[in-house]
Each structure stands twice: as structure tokens, then as C-alpha cells.
PDB file of all heavy atoms in Angstrom:
ATOM      1  N   ALA A 299     -18.345-231.079-116.523  1.00 97.00           N
ATOM      2  CA  ALA A 299     -19.414-230.022-116.664  1.00 97.00           C
ATOM      3  C   ALA A 299     -18.841-228.659-116.830  1.00 97.00           C
ATOM      4  O   ALA A 299     -19.643-227.721-117.197  1.00 97.00           O
ATOM      5  CB  ALA A 299     -20.342-230.063-115.443  1.00 97.00           C
ATOM      6  N   SER A 300     -17.605-228.428-116.498  1.00 96.00           N
ATOM      7  CA  SER A 300     -17.085-227.063-116.425  1.00 96.00           C
ATOM      8  C   SER A 300     -17.188-226.221-117.701  1.00 96.00           C
ATOM      9  O   SER A 300     -17.720-225.229-117.783  1.00 96.00           O
ATOM     10  CB  SER A 300     -15.695-227.088-115.844  1.00 96.00           C
ATOM     11  OG  SER A 300     -14.982-225.830-115.967  1.00 96.00           O
ATOM     12  N   LEU A 301     -16.576-226.804-118.788  1.00 97.00           N
ATOM     13  CA  LEU A 301     -16.572-226.080-120.107  1.00 97.00           C
ATOM     14  C   LEU A 301     -18.004-226.005-120.571  1.00 97.00           C
ATOM     15  O   LEU A 301     -18.378-225.003-121.222  1.00 97.00           O
ATOM     16  CB  LEU A 301     -15.652-226.784-120.973  1.00 97.00           C
ATOM     17  CG  LEU A 301     -15.436-225.963-122.364  1.00 97.00           C
ATOM     18  CD1 LEU A 301     -14.893-224.579-122.227  1.00 97.00           C
ATOM     19  CD2 LEU A 301     -14.588-226.824-123.319  1.00 97.00           C
ATOM     20  N   ILE A 302     -18.903-227.016-120.365  1.00 98.00           N
ATOM     21  CA  ILE A 302     -20.168-226.977-120.779  1.00 98.00           C
ATOM     22  C   ILE A 302     -20.915-225.735-120.117  1.00 98.00           C
ATOM     23  O   ILE A 302     -21.704-225.161-120.753  1.00 98.00           O
ATOM     24  CB  ILE A 302     -20.847-228.262-120.410  1.00 98.00           C
ATOM     25  CG1 ILE A 302     -20.298-229.480-121.250  1.00 98.00           C
ATOM     26  CG2 ILE A 302     -22.369-228.231-120.595  1.00 98.00           C
ATOM     27  CD1 ILE A 302     -20.800-230.820-121.010  1.00 98.00           C
ATOM     28  N   SER A 303     -20.548-225.514-118.864  1.00 98.00           N
ATOM     29  CA  SER A 303     -21.193-224.435-118.157  1.00 98.00           C
ATOM     30  C   SER A 303     -20.903-222.952-118.777  1.00 98.00           C
ATOM     31  O   SER A 303     -21.661-222.082-118.838  1.00 98.00           O
ATOM     32  CB  SER A 303     -20.742-224.289-116.707  1.00 98.00           C
ATOM     33  OG  SER A 303     -19.432-223.819-116.509  1.00 98.00           O
ATOM     34  N   ARG A 304     -19.757-222.922-119.509  1.00 98.00           N
ATOM     35  CA  ARG A 304     -19.434-221.642-120.281  1.00 98.00           C
ATOM     36  C   ARG A 304     -20.483-221.491-121.288  1.00 98.00           C
ATOM     37  O   ARG A 304     -21.089-220.342-121.541  1.00 98.00           O
ATOM     38  CB  ARG A 304     -18.073-221.802-120.930  1.00 98.00           C
ATOM     39  CG  ARG A 304     -17.632-220.577-121.735  1.00 98.00           C
ATOM     40  CD  ARG A 304     -16.432-220.814-122.534  1.00 98.00           C
ATOM     41  NE  ARG A 304     -16.695-221.498-123.794  1.00 98.00           N
ATOM     42  CZ  ARG A 304     -15.775-221.961-124.648  1.00 98.00           C
ATOM     43  NH1 ARG A 304     -14.533-221.529-124.538  1.00 98.00           N
ATOM     44  NH2 ARG A 304     -16.092-222.634-125.735  1.00 98.00           N
ATOM     45  N   GLU A 305     -20.846-222.554-122.017  1.00 97.00           N
ATOM     46  CA  GLU A 305     -21.839-222.473-123.025  1.00 97.00           C
ATOM     47  C   GLU A 305     -23.234-222.234-122.540  1.00 97.00           C
ATOM     48  O   GLU A 305     -24.057-221.453-123.092  1.00 97.00           O
ATOM     49  CB  GLU A 305     -21.845-223.787-123.830  1.00 97.00           C
ATOM     50  CG  GLU A 305     -20.465-224.063-124.530  1.00 97.00           C
ATOM     51  CD  GLU A 305     -20.022-222.928-125.445  1.00 97.00           C
ATOM     52  OE1 GLU A 305     -20.724-222.671-126.379  1.00 97.00           O
ATOM     53  OE2 GLU A 305     -18.969-222.355-125.160  1.00 97.00           O
ATOM     54  N   LEU A 306     -23.524-222.839-121.417  1.00 98.00           N
ATOM     55  CA  LEU A 306     -24.887-222.703-120.825  1.00 98.00           C
ATOM     56  C   LEU A 306     -25.164-221.305-120.212  1.00 98.00           C
ATOM     57  O   LEU A 306     -26.202-220.802-120.325  1.00 98.00           O
ATOM     58  CB  LEU A 306     -25.113-223.803-119.828  1.00 98.00           C
ATOM     59  CG  LEU A 306     -25.395-225.197-120.279  1.00 98.00           C
ATOM     60  CD1 LEU A 306     -25.472-226.242-119.167  1.00 98.00           C
ATOM     61  CD2 LEU A 306     -26.617-225.309-121.160  1.00 98.00           C
ATOM     62  N   ILE A 307     -24.054-220.788-119.706  1.00 98.00           N
ATOM     63  CA  ILE A 307     -24.109-219.371-119.185  1.00 98.00           C
ATOM     64  C   ILE A 307     -24.389-218.442-120.338  1.00 98.00           C
ATOM     65  O   ILE A 307     -25.276-217.611-120.256  1.00 98.00           O
ATOM     66  CB  ILE A 307     -22.896-218.992-118.398  1.00 98.00           C
ATOM     67  CG1 ILE A 307     -22.700-219.848-117.156  1.00 98.00           C
ATOM     68  CG2 ILE A 307     -22.777-217.466-118.159  1.00 98.00           C
ATOM     69  CD1 ILE A 307     -21.422-219.729-116.469  1.00 98.00           C
ATOM     70  N   ALA A 308     -23.642-218.613-121.455  1.00 98.00           N
ATOM     71  CA  ALA A 308     -23.815-217.708-122.523  1.00 98.00           C
ATOM     72  C   ALA A 308     -25.263-217.917-123.120  1.00 98.00           C
ATOM     73  O   ALA A 308     -25.848-216.939-123.447  1.00 98.00           O
ATOM     74  CB  ALA A 308     -22.719-218.074-123.584  1.00 98.00           C
ATOM     75  N   ASP A 309     -25.691-219.161-123.251  1.00 97.00           N
ATOM     76  CA  ASP A 309     -26.912-219.363-123.817  1.00 97.00           C
ATOM     77  C   ASP A 309     -28.071-218.828-122.974  1.00 97.00           C
ATOM     78  O   ASP A 309     -29.007-218.171-123.458  1.00 97.00           O
ATOM     79  CB  ASP A 309     -27.262-220.937-123.886  1.00 97.00           C
ATOM     80  CG  ASP A 309     -26.420-221.587-124.986  1.00 97.00           C
ATOM     81  OD1 ASP A 309     -25.812-220.951-125.740  1.00 97.00           O
ATOM     82  OD2 ASP A 309     -26.311-222.878-124.970  1.00 97.00           O
ATOM     83  N   SER A 310     -28.015-218.974-121.597  1.00 98.00           N
ATOM     84  CA  SER A 310     -29.082-218.592-120.770  1.00 98.00           C
ATOM     85  C   SER A 310     -29.098-216.974-120.639  1.00 98.00           C
ATOM     86  O   SER A 310     -30.205-216.372-120.732  1.00 98.00           O
ATOM     87  CB  SER A 310     -28.870-219.057-119.271  1.00 98.00           C
ATOM     88  OG  SER A 310     -27.670-218.606-118.692  1.00 98.00           O
ATOM     89  N   VAL A 311     -27.981-216.360-120.600  1.00 98.00           N
ATOM     90  CA  VAL A 311     -28.042-214.852-120.586  1.00 98.00           C
ATOM     91  C   VAL A 311     -28.523-214.287-121.989  1.00 98.00           C
ATOM     92  O   VAL A 311     -29.353-213.358-121.970  1.00 98.00           O
ATOM     93  CB  VAL A 311     -26.609-214.281-120.321  1.00 98.00           C
ATOM     94  CG1 VAL A 311     -26.628-212.717-120.408  1.00 98.00           C
ATOM     95  CG2 VAL A 311     -26.174-214.729-118.945  1.00 98.00           C
ATOM     96  N   GLU A 312     -28.051-214.951-123.064  1.00 98.00           N
ATOM     97  CA  GLU A 312     -28.643-214.485-124.377  1.00 98.00           C
ATOM     98  C   GLU A 312     -30.155-214.722-124.397  1.00 98.00           C
ATOM     99  O   GLU A 312     -30.896-213.806-124.883  1.00 98.00           O
ATOM    100  CB  GLU A 312     -28.017-215.408-125.428  1.00 98.00           C
ATOM    101  CG  GLU A 312     -28.455-215.079-126.863  1.00 98.00           C
ATOM    102  CD  GLU A 312     -28.025-216.106-127.900  1.00 98.00           C
ATOM    103  OE1 GLU A 312     -27.354-217.111-127.473  1.00 98.00           O
ATOM    104  OE2 GLU A 312     -28.197-215.834-129.021  1.00 98.00           O
ATOM    105  N   LEU A 313     -30.593-215.774-123.945  1.00 98.00           N
ATOM    106  CA  LEU A 313     -32.038-216.120-124.041  1.00 98.00           C
ATOM    107  C   LEU A 313     -32.895-215.159-123.221  1.00 98.00           C
ATOM    108  O   LEU A 313     -33.909-214.593-123.612  1.00 98.00           O
ATOM    109  CB  LEU A 313     -32.381-217.564-123.555  1.00 98.00           C
ATOM    110  CG  LEU A 313     -32.180-218.648-124.556  1.00 98.00           C
ATOM    111  CD1 LEU A 313     -32.362-219.995-123.992  1.00 98.00           C
ATOM    112  CD2 LEU A 313     -33.150-218.518-125.711  1.00 98.00           C
ATOM    113  N   VAL A 314     -32.420-214.846-121.925  1.00 98.00           N
ATOM    114  CA  VAL A 314     -33.193-213.932-121.043  1.00 98.00           C
ATOM    115  C   VAL A 314     -33.199-212.568-121.662  1.00 98.00           C
ATOM    116  O   VAL A 314     -34.227-211.945-121.733  1.00 98.00           O
ATOM    117  CB  VAL A 314     -32.688-213.980-119.609  1.00 98.00           C
ATOM    118  CG1 VAL A 314     -33.428-212.921-118.868  1.00 98.00           C
ATOM    119  CG2 VAL A 314     -32.785-215.314-119.025  1.00 98.00           C
ATOM    120  N   SER A 315     -31.960-212.148-122.121  1.00 98.00           N
ATOM    121  CA  SER A 315     -31.906-210.801-122.688  1.00 98.00           C
ATOM    122  C   SER A 315     -32.774-210.638-123.944  1.00 98.00           C
ATOM    123  O   SER A 315     -33.449-209.599-124.094  1.00 98.00           O
ATOM    124  CB  SER A 315     -30.470-210.497-123.031  1.00 98.00           C
ATOM    125  OG  SER A 315     -29.664-210.636-122.000  1.00 98.00           O
ATOM    126  N   PHE A 316     -32.832-211.672-124.777  1.00 98.00           N
ATOM    127  CA  PHE A 316     -33.553-211.677-126.011  1.00 98.00           C
ATOM    128  C   PHE A 316     -35.143-211.747-125.591  1.00 98.00           C
ATOM    129  O   PHE A 316     -35.963-210.914-126.146  1.00 98.00           O
ATOM    130  CB  PHE A 316     -33.157-212.791-126.811  1.00 98.00           C
ATOM    131  CG  PHE A 316     -34.116-213.026-128.119  1.00 98.00           C
ATOM    132  CD1 PHE A 316     -33.916-212.257-129.163  1.00 98.00           C
ATOM    133  CD2 PHE A 316     -35.171-213.861-128.088  1.00 98.00           C
ATOM    134  CE1 PHE A 316     -34.742-212.398-130.264  1.00 98.00           C
ATOM    135  CE2 PHE A 316     -35.945-214.121-129.189  1.00 98.00           C
ATOM    136  CZ  PHE A 316     -35.788-213.369-130.326  1.00 98.00           C
ATOM    137  N   GLY A 317     -35.464-212.679-124.753  1.00 97.00           N
ATOM    138  CA  GLY A 317     -36.904-212.923-124.417  1.00 97.00           C
ATOM    139  C   GLY A 317     -37.540-211.734-123.654  1.00 97.00           C
ATOM    140  O   GLY A 317     -38.737-211.484-123.956  1.00 97.00           O
ATOM    141  N   GLU A 318     -36.773-211.041-122.791  1.00 97.00           N
ATOM    142  CA  GLU A 318     -37.365-209.988-122.018  1.00 97.00           C
ATOM    143  C   GLU A 318     -37.126-208.608-122.497  1.00 97.00           C
ATOM    144  O   GLU A 318     -37.408-207.628-121.969  1.00 97.00           O
ATOM    145  CB  GLU A 318     -36.805-210.087-120.518  1.00 97.00           C
ATOM    146  CG  GLU A 318     -37.002-211.447-119.959  1.00 97.00           C
ATOM    147  CD  GLU A 318     -38.582-211.747-119.801  1.00 97.00           C
ATOM    148  OE1 GLU A 318     -39.331-210.944-119.397  1.00 97.00           O
ATOM    149  OE2 GLU A 318     -38.896-212.954-120.116  1.00 97.00           O
ATOM    150  N   ARG A 319     -36.531-208.589-123.701  1.00 97.00           N
ATOM    151  CA  ARG A 319     -36.271-207.356-124.497  1.00 97.00           C
ATOM    152  C   ARG A 319     -35.492-206.325-123.838  1.00 97.00           C
ATOM    153  O   ARG A 319     -35.815-205.136-123.713  1.00 97.00           O
ATOM    154  CB  ARG A 319     -37.608-206.750-124.973  1.00 97.00           C
ATOM    155  CG  ARG A 319     -38.641-207.725-125.489  1.00 97.00           C
ATOM    156  CD  ARG A 319     -38.057-208.672-126.586  1.00 97.00           C
ATOM    157  NE  ARG A 319     -37.799-207.895-127.828  1.00 97.00           N
ATOM    158  CZ  ARG A 319     -36.846-208.325-128.690  1.00 97.00           C
ATOM    159  NH1 ARG A 319     -36.119-209.479-128.391  1.00 97.00           N
ATOM    160  NH2 ARG A 319     -36.646-207.734-129.775  1.00 97.00           N
ATOM    161  N   MET A 320     -34.397-206.783-123.181  1.00 98.00           N
ATOM    162  CA  MET A 320     -33.500-205.809-122.391  1.00 98.00           C
ATOM    163  C   MET A 320     -32.702-204.881-123.266  1.00 98.00           C
ATOM    164  O   MET A 320     -32.451-205.243-124.469  1.00 98.00           O
ATOM    165  CB  MET A 320     -32.578-206.699-121.500  1.00 98.00           C
ATOM    166  CG  MET A 320     -33.401-207.383-120.419  1.00 98.00           C
ATOM    167  SD  MET A 320     -32.359-208.527-119.407  1.00 98.00           S
ATOM    168  CE  MET A 320     -33.663-208.914-118.176  1.00 98.00           C
ATOM    169  N   ASP A 321     -32.372-203.889-122.652  1.00 98.00           N
ATOM    170  CA  ASP A 321     -31.543-202.688-123.508  1.00 98.00           C
ATOM    171  C   ASP A 321     -30.053-202.770-123.215  1.00 98.00           C
ATOM    172  O   ASP A 321     -29.308-202.302-124.078  1.00 98.00           O
ATOM    173  CB  ASP A 321     -32.142-201.355-123.135  1.00 98.00           C
ATOM    174  CG  ASP A 321     -33.640-201.134-123.321  1.00 98.00           C
ATOM    175  OD1 ASP A 321     -34.072-201.523-124.420  1.00 98.00           O
ATOM    176  OD2 ASP A 321     -34.356-200.864-122.348  1.00 98.00           O
ATOM    177  N   GLY A 322     -29.651-203.347-122.163  1.00 98.00           N
ATOM    178  CA  GLY A 322     -28.229-203.381-121.894  1.00 98.00           C
ATOM    179  C   GLY A 322     -27.938-204.376-120.835  1.00 98.00           C
ATOM    180  O   GLY A 322     -28.846-204.953-120.145  1.00 98.00           O
ATOM    181  N   LEU A 323     -26.655-204.671-120.475  1.00 98.00           N
ATOM    182  CA  LEU A 323     -26.313-205.714-119.470  1.00 98.00           C
ATOM    183  C   LEU A 323     -25.158-205.228-118.586  1.00 98.00           C
ATOM    184  O   LEU A 323     -24.315-204.511-119.044  1.00 98.00           O
ATOM    185  CB  LEU A 323     -25.873-206.885-120.262  1.00 98.00           C
ATOM    186  CG  LEU A 323     -26.888-207.756-121.045  1.00 98.00           C
ATOM    187  CD1 LEU A 323     -26.172-208.800-121.825  1.00 98.00           C
ATOM    188  CD2 LEU A 323     -28.015-208.306-120.118  1.00 98.00           C
TER     189      LEU A 323
END
């Protein structure tokens, strides 16, 4: 699960930032 978590972290942060219309991180 370890390397898969790298992808899921990237996916989840991308999705929340996109969906909630954030300006920075």
C-alpha cells in the first residue's frame, strides 16, 4: 500500500483543491 499511498495523497489533495476552489497550499 505504501507507493499507492503516494498516488492517493496526490489525488486527494488535487481533488479537494480543485473542488473547493482554493487559491494556494
Side-chain angles (χ1 to χ4, degrees):
S300 172
L301 186 60
I302 293 173
S303 76
R304 181 191 76 177
E305 302 299 301
L306 288 176
I307 289 167
D309 290 350
S310 65
V311 175
E312 178 189 7
L313 277 174
V314 174
S315 303
F316 174 81
E318 302 301 316
R319 316 311 289 155
M320 291 178 176
D321 302 308
L323 295 169

